[in-house]
Amino acid sequence: MLTDYHVHLRPDDLEATPAAEFFTEENAARYREAADEAGIEELGVSEHIHRFTDALQIWDHPFWREQARDDLTAYCDFVRSTDLRLGIEMDFVPGREDRISNLLAAHDFDYVVGSVHFVRHNAVDHRVFDIWEEVGDPDRVWAGYFEALAEAAGSGLFDILAHPDLVKVWGEGRPTPTRDVRFFYEPVVEAIADSGIAVEVSTAGYRKPVREIYPAPAFAEMCVDAGAAFALSSDAHEPENIGYEYERAVEEMRGWGVSELALFERRERHLKELG
Ligand SMILES: [Zn+2]
Ligand SMILES: [Zn+2]
């Protein structure tokens, strides 16, 4: 069994017109075809929450205000009219747990991918609002990111913890922490073990400056030791990246001791044999 759950039907381009171009039967068919070619049985989509006007009920960050244009109900209705699983990529916003929970409960998602892209108002993977400009010190940047991630993992709001060490995205383009990185992973692994959230293995890392899968092998092995479940995704924003570098990812996962994948339907989890 192979899955690709963290997939975006529309590009990040602000000028895109999703209802006309991307949330369409033709586009869904392009994604399904790419998945079939890659031998992926379970395909789901998880559009960014900040794309939707409803997101502004949760948070009013200027980046979200600029991006929030699409209609969440229309997206859900469209995906339900296809054979794709219905997911959403939801940011963790500390202090807004009730609002997040209410929004999630209002839709019948198959799964919710929980992400940390921002630490307070600073972005870890975006050049605007760049955390590295405001915070700078790598130990502080990493500590802030992983504290937020541990809170997200333990919140009980999400089914899958997205790209769990996204803070490394820039690779050698940013300084690395002086502390042993396991120090940063530990509280997250504990929260993963307590909450039972599945850990996303994301091949997007291979395409980013860091050129490494999310999570890093040392992090993944700590999750395995803690008994975590794993989900597999490409974070594709176009059909060409569906199942991106999956052969390499499956080999890495087997090396970590992972033999099963988490599957989701209406927020119920099942495990199936990987590969
Ligand atoms: Zn993300
Ligand atoms: Zn994504």
Side-chain angles (χ1 to χ4, degrees):
M1 167 62 69
L2 290 174
T3 61
D4 204 342
Y5 275 153
H6 185 156
V7 167
H8 301 269
L9 282 173
R10 54 157 296 164
D12 284 332
D13 175 11
L14 247 194
E15 302 315 313
T17 52
E21 285 180 275
F22 299 107
F23 299 163
T24 64
E25 235 170 83
E26 298 71 43
N27 197 39
R30 287 166 65 217
Y31 277 70
R32 168 58 69 194
E33 215 171 285
D36 287 348
E37 245 165 69
I40 293 162
E41 291 102 316
E42 276 267 307
L43 180 65
V45 291
S46 57
E47 222 52 64
H48 279 293
I49 191 64
H50 68 241
R51 295 273 166 235
F52 303 102
T53 51
D54 283 6
L56 300 178
Q57 296 166 13
I58 297 173
W59 203 29
D60 65 349
H61 190 285
F63 177 70
W64 284 28
R65 278 206 301 273
E66 173 197 81
Q67 302 276 326
R69 296 175 181 202
D70 300 351
D71 184 286
L72 182 57
T73 301
Y75 160 73
C76 293
D77 289 348
F78 165 69
V79 177
R80 279 284 173 236
S81 75
T82 69
D83 63 351
L84 303 170
R85 290 270 182 243
L86 172 60
I88 188 87
E89 180 172 11
M90 172 67 75
D91 281 67
F92 178 67
V93 185
R96 303 293 162 90
E97 289 86 347
D98 285 350
R99 298 184 198 189
I100 293 172
S101 169
N102 289 339
L103 187 147
L104 294 177
H107 302 276
D108 66 337
F109 296 113
D110 286 313
Y111 55 85
V112 178
V113 179
S115 296
V116 173
H117 301 105
F118 290 90
V119 179
R120 286 172 287 280
H121 60 276
N122 297 312
V124 297
D125 67 335
H126 204 280
R127 291 185 196 279
V128 186
F129 314 104
D130 186 356
I131 192 167
W132 292 94
E133 273 173 32
E134 188 158 319
V135 180
D137 172 57
D139 289 273
R140 281 187 54 213
V141 170
W142 278 52
Y145 169 77
F146 282 104
E147 276 163 27
L149 192 72
E151 242 190 287
S155 69
L157 291 166
F158 313 121
D159 303 301
I160 301 171
L161 190 61
H163 37 59
D165 51 353
L166 181 68
V167 68
K168 72 182 178 188
V169 61
W170 303 114
E172 289 177 359
R174 299 292 188 279
T176 37
T178 52
R179 299 193 85 137
D180 182 335
V181 286
R182 288 175 180 79
F183 166 86
F184 301 105
Y185 303 151
E186 240 160 50
V188 185
V189 174
E190 215 169 283
I192 289 167
D194 289 346
S195 67
I197 192 171
V199 176
E200 180 181 80
V201 175
S202 171
T203 61
Y206 292 140
R207 307 193 293 274
K208 302 290 179 176
V210 66
R211 303 270 169 223
E212 180 183 75
I213 199 162
Y214 306 109
F219 189 1
E221 280 161 16
M222 287 168 71
C223 294
V224 171
D225 289 345
F230 289 82
L232 175 62
S233 291
S234 67
D235 209 344
H237 286 63
E238 52 197 4
E240 291 70 32
N241 281 333
I242 295 283
Y244 184 83
E245 294 267 10
Y246 264 24
E247 255 174 58
R248 190 175 160 196
V250 169
E251 203 180 295
E252 285 217 38
M253 290 171 80
R254 291 198 200 285
W256 304 335
V258 178
S259 57
E260 289 179 320
L261 272 189
L263 274 71
F264 296 89
E265 190 174 353
R266 312 266 171 172
R267 307 206 64 184
E268 294 272 334
R269 185 170 91 190
H270 314 273
L271 297 174
K272 276 213 173 165
E273 201 183 323
L274 164 70

